[in-house]
């Protein structure tokens, strides 16, 4: 555990019981990184998410899943078979000491075991019970299953990604579960705030599909207000006046580049002209051009204007392929060119801005004799801390602490549970 004082975290007084699968673990991570004592419950033998790669140094072992590491920082871990009556009794004892339960089972599964919200709210009436499922607890599709791939598609989010003349594509990393987990953490805290004012607990029903729709708020209004469906723009931006390439290749990657005339865009094109002229690469088509008089609104109705824009972007793109993205960015800062480098992950880890803000954290993994870098929290607060505090738990690492010290069971009882498969 980090040497940082627990008193400095906002949620230090609160306890969270995490019953989620791979699609819900982000919620507990957010709450744990804010200081709550989060205990994730795994089946005896380990959580199925421990089988998800990639793995530390490509060693495919349950204790070396980088997926597990990433989504379970700041959590303690116990093993418990909640399908057994003995396990359900222990679970209810844990619930009595918890403020929030987070789960991601199929709707009705926990109810069938007698440990759904209806049952647990009698054990602890002011409990916040947060459920994260693909389509929510109600509605005709509530029992449908969903993966990140299918939920990116079912939320409509995927339809907007990719080139307009090709099939939609997905974002390469899981998005819907991460976003739904973060939204679930926010909703849980809203419910906790309400409980602290009124004494009332409640179930928080989070739909991953709805969380995905939330990512494209402006697009969802197009069919209603514009009588049309927003389409994919690929590497172009679409501001209602036509579109133009917004991603250009450079020598070592890509930059995003805004090509436009008028008061806003003319300084960029003049600056690019000076740069190209200094290297003897300014084409005649750009000489003497009065960019402030370049009417971008013609793009929407004039095929010649669209061709002129495409030709100009190709000219700029050809020039930029000889420059590195940092060379371009340095020039952009000094000449006020509307461009920015497209960072890859390696760029981000080395980037001076997040590092100056202490965004990345190295957490020790003593059993690996190593430290692993984790992204921190997105918000800095004057009087509190946030961010990963300690590494994800090993299988059953905190059984003795939680069942013994916290619930008061003896070592003999814990040993018996271990022998009969309850934990």
């Amino acid at each position: 555990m980090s040497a940082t004082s627990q008193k400095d975290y906002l949620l230090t007084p609160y306890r969270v019981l995490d019953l989620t699968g791979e699609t819900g673990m982000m919620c507990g991570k957010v709450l744990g990184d804010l200081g709550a004592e989060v205990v994730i419950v795994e089946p005896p033998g380990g959580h199925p998410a421990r089988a998800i790669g990639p793995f530390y140094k490509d060693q495919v072992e349950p204790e070396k899943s980088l997926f597990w590491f990433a989504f379970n920082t700041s959590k303690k871990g116990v093993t418990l078979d909640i399908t057994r009556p003995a396990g359900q009794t222990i679970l209810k004892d844990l619930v009595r000491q918890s403020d929030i339960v987070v789960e991601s089972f199929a709707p009705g599964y926990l109810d069938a075991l007698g440990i759904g919200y209806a049952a647990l709210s009698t054990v602890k009436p002011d409990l916040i019970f947060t459920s994260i499922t693909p389509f929510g607890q109600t509605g005709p599709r509530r029992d449908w299953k969903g993966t990140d791939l299918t939920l990116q598609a079912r939320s409509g989010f995927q339809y907007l990604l990719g080139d307009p003349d090709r099939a939609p594509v997905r974002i390469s990393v899981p998005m819907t579960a991460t976003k739904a987990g973060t939204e679930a953490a926010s909703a849980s805290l809203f419910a906790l705030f309400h409980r602290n004012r009124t004494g009332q607990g409640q179930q928080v029903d989070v739909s991953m599909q709805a969380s995905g729709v939330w990512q494209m708020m402006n697009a969802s209004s197009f069919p209603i207000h514009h009588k049309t469906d927003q389409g994919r723009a690929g590497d172009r931006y679409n501001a209602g006046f036509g579109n133009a390439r917004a991603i250009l290749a450079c020598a070592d990657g890509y930059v995003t580049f805004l090509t436009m005339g008028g008061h806003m865009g003319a300084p960029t094109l003049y600056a690019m002209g000076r740069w190209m002229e200094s290297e003897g690469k300014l084409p005649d088509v750009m000489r003497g051009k009065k960019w402030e008089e370049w009417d971008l609104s013609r793009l929407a109705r004039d095929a010649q204007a669209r061709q002129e824009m495409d030709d100009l972007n190709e000219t700029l793109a050809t020039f930029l392929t000889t420059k590195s993205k940092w060379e371009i960015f340095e020039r952009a800062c000094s000449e006020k060119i509307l461009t920015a480098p497209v960072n890859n992950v390696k760029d981000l880890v080395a980037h001076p801005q997040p590092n100056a803000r202490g965004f990345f954290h190295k957490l020790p993994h003593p059993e690996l004799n190593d430290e692993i870098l984790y992204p921190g929290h997105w918000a800095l607060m004057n009087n509190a801390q946030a961010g990963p505090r300690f590494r994800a738990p090993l299988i059953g690492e905190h059984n003795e602490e939680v069942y013994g010290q916290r619930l008061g069971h003896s070592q003999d009882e814990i040993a018996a549970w271990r022998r009969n498969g309850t934990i």
Side-chain angles (χ1 to χ4, degrees):
M1 181 179 295
S2 166
T4 305
S5 171
Q6 288 282 306
K7 295 179 182 178
D8 294 330
Y9 289 84
L10 290 175
L11 298 182
T12 297
Y14 297 103
R15 283 176 167 169
V16 178
L17 200 58
D18 188 340
L19 304 178
T20 62
E22 64 177 281
T23 57
M25 294 189 297
M26 185 66 174
C27 178
K29 171 184 163 54
V30 172
L31 298 174
D33 286 354
L34 287 168
E37 183 187 58
V38 180
V39 176
I40 187 165
V41 177
E42 304 182 58
H47 198 291
R50 292 181 178 276
I52 300 175
F55 293 86
Y56 176 78
K57 295 187 176 180
D58 292 330
Q59 298 169 5
V60 184
E61 301 173 23
E63 299 290 20
K64 295 181 179 178
S65 163
L66 296 178
F67 181 91
W68 174 261
F69 289 178
F71 288 100
N72 290 291
T73 59
S74 310
K75 297 181 187 180
K76 296 177 180 177
V78 297
T79 51
L80 184 65
D81 186 349
I82 63 172
T83 67
R84 296 183 177 208
Q88 292 164 10
T89 298
I90 297 170
L91 179 75
K92 290 176 180 176
D93 289 340
L94 290 171
V95 169
R96 288 188 182 92
Q97 297 185 357
S98 299
D99 300 282
I100 300 171
V101 169
V102 189
E103 61 93 11
S104 61
F105 290 102
Y109 176 78
L110 291 179
D111 291 323
L113 292 176
I115 49 175
Y117 175 63
L120 295 183
S121 62
T122 64
V123 172
K124 185 174 175 59
D126 64 349
L127 179 69
I128 307 303
F129 189 92
T130 301
S131 300
I132 306 168
T133 51
F135 300 98
Q137 298 291 308
T138 59
R141 303 290 186 265
R142 73 166 211 151
D143 295 321
W144 283 25
K145 301 182 186 305
T147 64
D148 183 74
L149 176 63
T150 57
L151 285 163
Q152 282 196 34
R154 299 291 290 182
S155 68
F157 186 54
Q158 192 176 76
Y159 180 80
L160 297 177
L161 298 176
D163 295 319
D165 58 345
R166 301 178 66 185
V169 298
R170 66 179 288 261
I171 294 179
S172 303
V173 295
M175 290 298 296
T176 54
T178 304
K179 185 59 180 173
T182 305
E183 300 289 2
S186 298
S188 300
L189 294 178
F190 298 152
L192 188 64
F193 177 78
H194 178 78
R195 187 204 72 173
N196 289 348
R197 286 196 308 118
T198 66
Q200 295 178 333
Q202 60 187 299
Q203 184 174 17
V204 177
D205 173 7
V206 177
S207 158
M208 294 170 66
Q209 182 189 36
S211 297
V213 175
W214 194 258
Q215 303 309 298
M216 50 176 200
M217 291 297 289
N218 64 326
S220 61
S221 67
F222 268 64
I224 298 172
H225 300 294
H226 300 282
K227 309 302 180 189
T228 186
D229 204 2
Q230 188 168 12
R232 293 180 295 283
D235 65 348
R236 295 169 175 257
Y237 63 86
N238 186 346
F241 47 72
N243 56 48
R245 284 181 64 183
I247 307 293
L248 302 180
C250 60
D252 58 349
Y254 298 90
V255 293
T256 181
F257 195 97
L258 182 59
T259 306
M260 61 186 302
H263 175 74
M264 184 175 177
T268 286
L269 295 177
Y270 283 129
M272 286 301 299
R274 290 192 295 274
W275 194 4
M276 297 165 81
E277 179 76 285
S278 70
E279 298 186 13
K281 297 179 179 177
L282 181 66
D284 290 341
V285 70
M286 293 181 65
R287 293 184 185 278
K289 196 79 173 181
K290 294 183 179 180
W291 297 115
E292 57 278 293
E293 298 176 359
W294 208 40
D295 184 5
L296 203 62
S297 65
R298 290 173 52 216
L299 285 174
R301 60 183 191 279
D302 187 337
Q304 183 177 350
R306 289 196 294 273
Q307 186 61 53
E308 186 179 3
M309 172 65 88
D310 286 344
D311 291 345
L312 176 59
N313 270 310
E314 287 303 316
T315 299
L316 295 171
T318 300
F319 178 74
L320 292 177
T321 55
T322 65
K323 313 296 179 189
S324 73
K325 54 188 169 185
W326 298 113
E327 186 179 4
I328 296 168
F329 190 54
E330 184 177 357
R331 188 83 178 196
C333 292
S334 63
E335 294 275 352
K336 298 182 179 179
I337 298 172
L338 296 173
T339 186
V342 177
N343 286 334
N344 56 32
V345 176
K346 186 177 180 181
D347 294 332
L348 286 173
V349 171
H351 199 285
Q353 178 64 14
N355 281 297
R357 288 169 59 82
F359 178 71
F360 293 105
H361 296 246
K362 278 187 176 180
L363 297 181
H365 286 245
E367 66 287 345
L368 302 178
N369 193 29
D370 203 351
E371 290 184 326
I372 294 179
L373 192 70
Y374 292 85
H377 204 263
W378 55 89
L380 299 181
M381 293 168 272
N382 286 344
N383 297 314
Q385 297 187 60
R389 295 175 291 146
F390 48 89
R391 61 145 174 78
L394 306 176
I395 299 172
E397 180 176 358
H398 299 95
N399 282 355
E400 276 73 16
E401 176 186 332
V402 173
Y403 298 140
Q405 298 172 29
R406 184 166 150 182
L407 295 184
H409 293 284
S410 68
Q411 290 298 308
D412 288 342
E413 287 177 293
I414 295 171
W417 292 340
R418 188 173 287 113
R419 285 194 299 273
N420 65 29
T422 301
I423 66 173

